[in-house]
Structures are given as structure tokens and as C-alpha cells.
Amino acid sequence: MARLITNQEIARVFYEIADILDLKNDNVFKIRAYRRAGQLIEGFEKPLSQVADLESLPGIGKELSEKIRALLRGEELETLKNLRKEVAPGLLALLRIRGMGPKRVRTLNEKLGVKDLNSFCRALGEGEILNLAGFGPKLVDDLKKGLSEFQEYSKRTRLDLAKTQAEALVEYLKEAKGVGRVEVAGSLRRRLETIGDIDLLVTGKDPKAVMERLVNYPKVREILSKGNTKSSVVLESGVQADVRFFEPKTFGAGLQYFTGSKAHNIAIRTIAKQKGLKISEYGVFRGEKLIAGRTEEEVYQTLDLPYIPPELREDRGEIQAGREDKLPELIGLKDIRGDLQVHSEWTDGASPILEMAEQAKKLGYEYLAITDHSKSQRQTGGLDEKELRKEFQEIDRLNQKLKGFRIFKGVELDILKDGSLDLPERILKTADLVLGSVHSHFNLPKPDQTRRLLKALGSGMIQIFSHPTGRLIGEREPIMIDWSRLVPVLLEKKIAVEINASPHRLDANGDLAKYLKDQGVIFSLGTDAHTLGGLKDMEYGVFTARRGWVEAEEVINTWPLNKLENWLRNRR
DNA sequence: GCCGTTTTCGGCCCGACTGTTTTCAGTCG
């Protein structure tokens, strides 16, 4: 059977059509219609194959709905096929280069025969380009930079790296003369797992002082633009930071607008329009009159909506939920009472168990699970039955000494290729908790991978299914699982799914967590810490859980010690 | 290509910034 096309892929088709039309200098509104539809589809909460009346979607009319139906049937679009014949395929990549838009691409194509990255690179090196109207030495210089940037940094930045840099810059900007608030916006504020660039919003008395301070930031590698209300710089790390200044009375509107997501804002503006209001980054307007904008709460209020936490602003049902007063009460870092995935020097961790426990205590936790690897993880020094028994004895001894704190005897048990377990049941039954993990054979076909997991999770030995997809952000794709078949087992065996808080993993991610939550699955948050510092990664797990609409009660390590102990015991 | 209580044609978001200009075009978000 042909695989069903995803929303993501449909959106990509529309974006490509829009790009080509752009290069052809076609009607800008037609181009915008394709892009708008792409955005809507990308952020749509369910697969379009399940939408009966496509034309009821805003921005989808007769033409686009027909095209979507064709794509869903697995057909190739005639429109796109024909358009592709009209432009050199290499030209589309040039649009991704900073400083290059459709007009410049077209000019270089027509006048200098540029048709791809290589010929673009050559053209930049030749003097002829300077004879073209609108192309001066400074622009050519900028385009060269844009090109090398494109080649060097087409990757997005991991959340933790971006957050650290953004926070340092926020602190620095707060020292500017007359500055008021400095806030992070954009995908970083929504806690997306990777971010494109850092967006900061500033308010205060003196925009010039803020922008002046920004360009003097020691970690600025390059200044892309500098104005009174907006400046952009590239930091040493290669991440771009955009800083915008807003008057206090429109700061909330600016923050709302630049936090996004695009899909969320489109939905918000649609509601505003229905109410006869106009909403932009400069406020909510009735006619010419500014009626809200100082705070985000104010902006949402004019639309009869409660404040929507940034992590939910993806147009995945949060607006509807807000209207019905059904927004979740999202989990927070303060709800966490312990860490349920931690490694020690017994395997590949850097510190003794006691030090990890003391650090956890300092973080205000009541308990901690030591979950070292099982034996087939040889490169980590995974423990066999005998060694694990010794580790458990050590933990028993430590628990007798520690007051008001509990260390759980855990193990991160390998799920082998055929779904069997890496250690015998007799030792697993002496553990307080068992995490089940896939660390090998990531590329099994979906049916095999699903069968493997059904067997392992069906064994009744596993209480937490840890880093369930095995993905590493930017490095390894998730394993393929038929979740609809796994969910019944998770529910029947009362297995919690881990939201792994390591910023390299964030697994389950927000989307998967939301899906599982809706099916009634519960969660566990673990940092997978291998060092004392690693225990601090819990916040990333909380961010991810929030993106999954998860509430504190649905996470087992927000529970008090005795409740968690009961849950762990009653499952044996 | 979409849309409509100003409705089937004629609108559709636009402000900020830069570079190349001498009043503006192109890009970006």
C-alpha cells in the first residue's frame, strides 16, 4: 500500500510551488496563498486525510483542496511538474541564502547565467556582477558572507545551547541605560527542541542605548543590521540574535507576535478579525484606536481568551481549549520531587552514587533512582546480575545512612533485538524500578520494531519505557514504532513513558507526549545524568512535557515518596 | 489562489533596515 502523505510533505509541496512562482515573478497574492496554506497545513492538528471538508479550512479554496486531494491519492501535481520545468532546479537553494530573494536570483540568472550554488559562487568572484543595477560592492560582500553562512550553519541550534547564550545576552542588555524589560521570544520561548535564531524584545526609555550596547557585546561576531527599533547580530557561535525595541504600551503585543508560532498567530488574527479587531505586533486595534498591548494577558483578553502558555502556541487545539476553559494546568519544575534516570560510576557515570544523591538533595529532591546500564551495553561497563546485586546492596547501605531521602535501586535494562530482556527476571524482581531501553538495532522495519517492544513491554518486568524513540537531536532519527499497537500494552501493564530530559534527546518529544497523554498514558521525567551537572537538565524535560500538554499529576516523579513507592510495589 | 453583511470583482499586512540610490528596490520577519 502506498504510504499516506503527511501534512509536513503537503506543506513542502506548496512551499516549493510558492518559491518557483516567486522566481517567475508571479502574482504576489497567489504566492502568499500557497505559503499561507503551507503554514496552515504544517501546523494542523490532525492529518489532512482525516479532514472531510478541506474547503472549510481558512485559506483553502477550490483549487488548493483539489490539489491536496490529489496529493493524498498519491499523485504528483501537474502544476508542480510543469513549474519545475520552467526554472533551473538549483535556483531554489539560492533563495535560502541571506540577502538573496526572488528578484536577485532572477537578475543573476538572466544576466549572468547563474543556475545553482556553484555558478552563484563563481559570479560573486567576478567583476561583472558589479555592473548590474542594484549590485554594489557592499552587497556583493554581504552575499559572499551569506553564502558561507549557508554552507556552514544550515543546522539549527539545540535548545540548551541557544538558551544559555540567550540568557547571557539578556543579562548583558539589562545593563543598558534606561532599559526596562528584556524578554526572550520566538521558538526559544516556546521551548522548541531546536531553534533558528534568538529573538529578544526590549523595552525602556532609550532604544538607541540598547542597540548601541548590543553591537558592543563582546560575543558579537558580525553586525547584520542596526536601527532604532531592530538590530541583528551574529554571535561567535554562529547563532543569529535579533533584538527589537518596543514601547511599554505595546510590549505585550510585540512579545505575543514574536513568540509565535506563525500558525498560532494566524489563528489569533483570524479571531480578531471576526470580532472586528485588528491585531499586530503594535497592539490590538478597534479601528484606529489601540485597545490593548501592554501585556500578553491583555492581548488574549480582548479575544476572550485566557493567557496561553508559550509552549502550547502551535495552533494544535490550544485556542479551542482556551475558549472552553480547558487549557491544561501545565507541569512546572517545582513539581518535580526526584529524578528517575541517573547513572553512577558503577557504569559510565562520572560520580559515586552518594555524590549524585547529595546533589539531588541540594536540588530539593526527595528521591532519586540510580539506573545504571545492563550488561549488553559493554562500552558503558554495563552490569551483569552479580554486579547489579552488589550495587543494590551498596544502595541499601546508603539508604540506611541517608535521612529524609530515598535512593531507588534501579536499572536501565537493555531491550534486545528480539524483545528479550538483558537480565534474568530473578534480579529484576529485586529492583525498585526497571527502565526498559533500546540501545541497538535502531533501523528495524516498523513491524519488527513494534513486535520487539510489544514483547519486552509485555513481559511485565518494565515500569518505565525510557527514551522511547531513541532519537538523538540532529544526529539520529527516531526508531519506527506503531504506537497505536503499543498503547494498549502501556495501559494494561501500567508502564510510564519517559520524557528524557537530556537536551540531546528530549524523548518522548512534545508531540508524542501529547498523543500518549490523550490515550491515558502516564509519564516519568529523567535527566539521564552521567555527571552532577547533568541533574540540572530536568528543566528541559519539563519544557518538553509542557509542550505535550502534560500536567503534574500525570508524571510519577511529581508524586510524594509513599505514593510512588506504592505504585512501584503494586506492579509486581 | 482566497474571500465576501462594503460580496463574484477587486482587494489581499507592512514596517524596518540596508545598499545603492538622489527618491527607491529588495529582503526580512
Side-chain angles (χ1 to χ4, degrees):
Chain A
M1 192 187 85
R3 202 180 50 85
L4 213 53
I5 189 167
T6 64
N7 289 1
Q8 205 44 255
E9 288 163 324
I10 296 173
R12 227 173 293 146
V13 168
F14 286 175
Y15 287 142
E16 188 180 347
I17 291 174
D19 280 349
I20 298 176
L21 291 174
D22 230 346
L23 288 179
K24 290 179 28 140
N25 203 18
D26 211 304
N27 181 326
V28 290
F29 298 107
K30 185 165 152 184
I31 296 166
R32 194 178 294 164
Y34 274 107
R35 293 230 164 88
R36 240 174 70 87
Q39 283 166 14
L40 171 88
I41 293 165
E42 213 172 19
F44 200 67
E45 70 262 23
K46 58 182 178 184
L48 288 190
S49 52
Q50 294 172 20
V51 179
D53 184 13
L54 288 168
E55 283 183 53
S56 68
L57 304 178
I60 308 288
K62 192 161 160 290
E63 290 286 325
L64 289 180
S65 61
E66 261 168 34
K67 290 190 169 69
I68 294 170
R69 276 191 290 273
L71 289 168
L72 287 173
R73 285 195 300 269
E75 292 166 20
E76 208 180 333
L77 292 189
E78 283 301 314
T79 316
L80 181 56
K81 242 200 271 182
N82 294 332
L83 282 173
R84 277 180 177 154
K85 286 182 204 148
E86 295 189 50
V87 299
L91 287 183
L92 293 177
L94 300 184
L95 288 171
R96 305 276 95 78
I97 295 168
R98 184 168 56 82
M100 289 297 282
K103 301 282 162 50
R104 287 178 186 155
V105 170
R106 229 155 56 93
T107 307
L108 292 184
N109 177 246
E110 283 168 7
K111 308 280 181 183
L112 299 182
V114 167
K115 60 179 182 7
D116 53 23
L117 278 171
N118 279 334
S119 46
F120 176 62
C121 191
R122 267 200 306 280
L124 287 178
E126 289 163 8
E128 215 180 325
I129 192 171
L130 293 168
N131 298 331
L132 300 176
F135 286 80
K138 187 68 179 51
L139 178 61
V140 171
D141 222 38
D142 282 350
L143 292 178
K144 281 179 187 164
K145 280 183 197 154
L147 175 63
S148 68
E149 226 172 72
F150 176 79
Q151 288 162 335
E152 197 181 345
Y153 299 114
S154 43
K155 277 172 93 174
R156 291 168 65 88
T157 306
R158 231 171 47 215
L159 174 62
D160 55 318
L161 302 176
K163 181 165 175 282
T164 310
Q165 294 177 64
E167 282 169 353
L169 181 53
V170 166
E171 287 313 307
Y172 172 87
L173 288 177
K174 279 186 177 165
E175 300 295 314
K177 198 170 76 135
V179 80
R181 290 171 68 187
V182 183
E183 298 285 345
V184 171
S187 51
L188 179 50
R189 183 159 180 249
R190 301 200 314 281
R191 310 306 191 188
L192 219 61
E193 57 206 36
T194 62
I195 66 123
D197 46 30
I198 295 171
D199 287 301
L200 298 184
L201 262 62
V202 185
T203 186
K205 296 191 187 103
D206 188 357
K208 278 204 181 104
V210 174
M211 299 307 172
E212 201 50 46
R213 188 162 171 84
L214 171 69
V215 297
N216 285 307
Y217 187 45
K219 288 187 177 162
V220 165
R221 177 207 283 185
E222 195 192 341
I223 300 163
L224 298 177
S225 67
K226 182 181 170 228
N228 268 341
T229 62
K230 193 207 156 190
S231 299
S232 294
V233 298
V234 178
L235 301 177
E236 274 170 3
S237 63
V239 180
Q240 181 175 330
D242 296 336
V243 177
R244 293 183 177 77
F245 186 90
F246 278 85
E247 296 297 329
K249 66 175 186 218
T250 60
F251 189 76
L255 190 57
Q256 198 285 324
Y257 182 88
F258 283 106
T259 295
S261 65
K262 259 184 200 150
H264 175 83
N265 285 351
I266 288 169
I268 287 291
R269 273 173 287 181
T270 308
I271 296 178
K273 220 167 142 188
Q274 288 161 359
K275 290 185 183 293
L277 302 172
K278 190 175 111 74
I279 188 166
S280 75
E281 63 266 48
Y282 299 109
V284 183
F285 296 87
R286 176 170 285 123
E288 296 287 298
K289 191 167 176 276
L290 176 70
I291 61 165
R294 189 167 290 275
T295 66
E296 285 191 309
E297 283 83 353
E298 223 179 78
V299 173
Y300 283 109
Q301 210 172 18
T302 59
L303 306 177
D304 293 323
L305 286 170
Y307 175 79
I308 298 176
E311 291 94 332
L312 299 186
R313 300 184 195 169
E314 300 290 347
D315 193 23
R316 297 200 166 126
E318 73 277 8
I319 291 168
Q320 186 66 18
R323 276 179 164 168
E324 295 168 2
D325 205 20
K326 283 182 181 158
L327 283 174
E329 195 135 330
L330 295 180
I331 186 175
L333 188 56
K334 62 177 187 338
D335 295 317
I336 303 292
R337 293 176 192 250
D339 193 329
L340 295 184
Q341 181 169 184
V342 176
H343 298 268
S344 78
E345 62 179 8
W346 281 70
T347 57
D348 58 346
S351 299
I353 297 172
L354 184 59
E355 283 182 22
M356 292 306 259
E358 279 168 348
Q359 183 69 21
K361 250 177 115 167
K362 273 189 209 157
L363 293 173
Y365 290 160
E366 297 165 31
Y367 47 82
L368 172 80
I370 294 293
T371 55
D372 277 312
H373 289 283
S374 61
K375 66 178 191 299
S376 68
Q377 283 299 293
R378 293 187 202 292
Q379 76 286 3
T380 70
L383 307 176
D384 63 18
E385 181 179 359
K386 212 170 128 196
E387 291 164 327
L388 188 59
R389 185 160 287 128
K390 275 176 74 182
E391 186 180 35
F392 286 173
Q393 285 166 0
E394 164 81 2
I395 292 175
D396 282 337
R397 274 196 296 278
L398 290 172
N399 270 327
Q400 281 173 2
K401 279 199 255 171
L402 287 166
K403 293 203 178 69
F405 192 85
R406 168 74 186 272
I407 306 173
F408 288 116
K409 293 177 285 187
V411 57
E412 186 182 7
L413 175 72
D414 251 57
I415 295 172
L416 305 179
K417 186 184 178 190
D418 64 353
S420 59
L421 306 178
D422 194 26
L423 290 172
E425 291 195 3
R426 59 175 179 269
I427 178 75
L428 298 178
K429 282 181 175 161
T430 70
D432 294 317
L433 91 165
V434 176
L435 313 190
S437 293
V438 167
H439 286 123
S440 62
H441 302 100
F442 296 104
N443 291 328
L444 294 183
K446 199 184 216 180
D448 299 355
Q449 197 70 270
T450 305
R451 211 172 305 128
R452 171 193 196 180
L453 292 168
L454 284 173
K455 179 174 169 192
L457 298 174
S459 72
M461 284 294 113
I462 291 167
Q463 289 137 314
I464 295 173
F465 181 20
S466 49
H467 48 70
T469 77
R471 67 105 175 241
L472 291 174
I473 294 167
E475 291 170 49
R476 186 167 68 212
E477 291 297 304
I479 61 175
M480 292 194 288
I481 305 173
D482 183 346
W483 281 98
S484 67
R485 292 188 58 205
L486 225 51
V487 165
V489 179
L490 295 172
L491 293 176
E492 186 207 324
K493 300 286 179 187
K494 295 199 174 63
I495 295 169
V497 169
E498 182 182 72
I499 295 175
N500 189 292
S502 161
H504 296 270
R505 293 190 180 271
L506 301 181
D507 180 19
N509 69 9
D511 288 341
L512 177 57
K514 170 84 161 58
Y515 166 79
L516 294 172
K517 171 203 161 97
D518 290 342
Q519 314 288 314
V521 174
I522 58 172
F523 301 95
S524 160
L525 262 58
T527 58
D528 212 344
H530 287 70
T531 60
L532 295 175
L535 291 167
K536 287 203 202 102
D537 286 339
M538 188 58 84
E539 61 173 334
Y540 299 103
V542 171
F543 295 152
T544 304
R546 289 169 65 89
R547 286 187 58 82
W549 295 50
V550 173
E551 308 193 29
E553 197 48 35
E554 297 166 311
V555 174
I556 61 173
N557 47 318
T558 66
W559 297 348
L561 180 60
N562 59 354
K563 181 175 176 186
L564 178 55
E565 280 175 330
N566 280 335
W567 183 81
L568 290 169
R569 250 199 312 270
N570 289 340
R571 310 196 45 264
R572 283 280 161 72

